[in-house]
Amino acid sequence: MSDMSRIRNVAFVGPHHAGKTSLVEALLASCGAIPRRGSVQQGTTTTDCEPEAIKHVQSVCTGFAFATTDAVDITIIDTPGFIDFFEETKLSLLAADAAVIVIEADPGRVAQTAAIVDHLELRKVPHLFFINKLDRPGADFDGTLEKLRALYGPHVVAKHLPRVVADTFKGYVDLAPRTAFAYDADGTEHSVPIPAELEPAVAAQRKILLEALADFDDHLMEELLEEIEPPQDEIARDLCEDCAHDQIIAVLAGSALSGAGAVA
């Protein structure tokens, strides 16, 4: 019998054409649940298997997939993004332990997340944002993050800071441990030093992250006031607990199509 304590139901929600199904494919491949990523355009994805979804090249109903990591067994709930299917999305969320809100790196589309965020907050479902399509020309992570914070409050904080060069998503910095990652031509991720040009932005966004965590941890607040660098295990613990209790809304970065940033 499987260990029920390992099971987590995670819903992927967000506006239509934000890349939810492609992100699910990337995560399934990362976990080894499928041998390679399918394509929405080719009708070969795991969760968009219905004939209508393949015909219209979009999700028309909720799809399910399963994956296993070292820590947990995940039931993935891939919901449709069009407003016509919002009631189905809300029903799917009745079984969700957490939700990933997928959004393009476009500030103009942030308002389209309002209905789903309101519903998640009403049901107190922990959630985070995944800013997708950072490999698209004109992708605007900073503007999208700023709009998210303006709409949903100061506890929306970046956990990742992307590095985009000439409209190419080169990698990201994981702000909590101050670890940078870059991608090879084949999409392989590897650790690299933090690029010098990102150091000011990393320092600024990491300060915002730590101050948000300190709102729920007096000991961390004391360390910050005394200019003491908190231990990494303390930051990781606070981030995990605060996200689980829906006190912090983390913002991740990546590209679902290439799999960059989509590591389970």
Side-chain angles (χ1 to χ4, degrees):
M1 182 178 295
S2 61
D3 182 358
M4 297 296 290
S5 67
R6 284 178 50 90
I7 297 175
R8 300 291 185 275
N9 301 329
V10 181
F12 287 72
V13 300
H16 62 281
H17 297 319
K20 298 180 292 297
T21 300
S22 295
L23 179 58
V24 167
E25 283 294 300
L27 290 170
L28 289 173
S30 171
C31 291
I34 55 177
R36 63 179 180 177
R37 298 195 302 269
S39 165
V40 173
Q41 285 68 32
Q42 296 175 10
T44 56
T45 62
T46 305
T47 52
D48 273 0
C49 56
E50 294 292 333
E52 282 297 306
I54 296 172
K55 176 182 177 181
H56 294 287
V57 199
Q58 67 183 37
S59 300
V60 296
C61 62
T62 300
F64 298 89
F66 307 92
T68 297
T69 69
D70 290 339
V72 294
D73 300 324
I74 305 170
T75 301
I76 292 174
I77 307 169
D78 182 15
T79 67
F82 271 96
I83 193 65
D84 308 49
F85 305 111
F86 188 52
E87 291 303 314
E88 178 168 346
T89 295
K90 290 198 292 185
L91 286 174
S92 300
L93 287 168
L94 292 173
D97 298 307
V100 177
I101 305 170
V102 184
I103 184 173
E104 291 182 58
D106 177 0
R109 297 204 68 189
V110 170
Q112 296 177 17
T113 64
I116 191 64
V117 171
D118 287 347
H119 184 71
L120 290 169
E121 292 184 346
L122 178 66
R123 293 201 61 250
K124 301 187 184 306
V125 179
H127 52 284
L128 58 80
F129 289 99
F130 182 90
I131 297 182
N132 192 24
K133 302 186 180 181
L134 283 166
D135 49 356
R136 293 280 185 91
D140 184 0
F141 177 88
D142 293 339
T144 305
L145 174 63
E146 182 179 349
K147 190 72 173 179
L148 288 171
R149 287 175 57 82
L151 194 58
Y152 301 123
H155 290 115
V156 176
V157 291
K159 185 178 185 294
H160 292 171
L161 190 67
R163 181 175 181 240
V164 180
V165 179
D167 289 329
T168 301
F169 181 48
K170 295 290 189 180
Y172 66 94
V173 178
D174 191 341
L175 294 172
R178 283 182 54 87
T179 304
F181 298 92
Y183 294 96
D184 296 330
D186 62 356
T188 303
E189 180 182 283
H190 57 93
S191 180
V192 295
I194 296 176
E197 71 272 14
L198 279 185
E199 282 285 4
V202 168
Q205 290 297 337
R206 190 170 188 269
K207 183 172 185 263
I208 291 171
L209 171 63
L210 293 181
E211 288 177 348
L213 295 175
D215 284 345
F216 307 101
D217 184 341
D218 291 340
H219 182 259
L220 178 59
M221 179 66 77
E222 291 175 5
E223 290 176 320
L224 296 182
L225 290 173
E226 295 174 9
E227 298 184 348
I228 298 172
E229 174 63 25
Q232 286 300 320
D233 59 349
E234 180 182 10
I235 297 173
R237 183 187 66 247
D238 281 356
L239 186 59
C240 182
E241 291 180 356
D242 293 347
C243 287
H245 289 92
D246 204 26
Q247 295 169 317
I248 291 293
I249 304 173
V251 179
L252 312 183
S255 165
L257 276 182
S258 68
V263 179

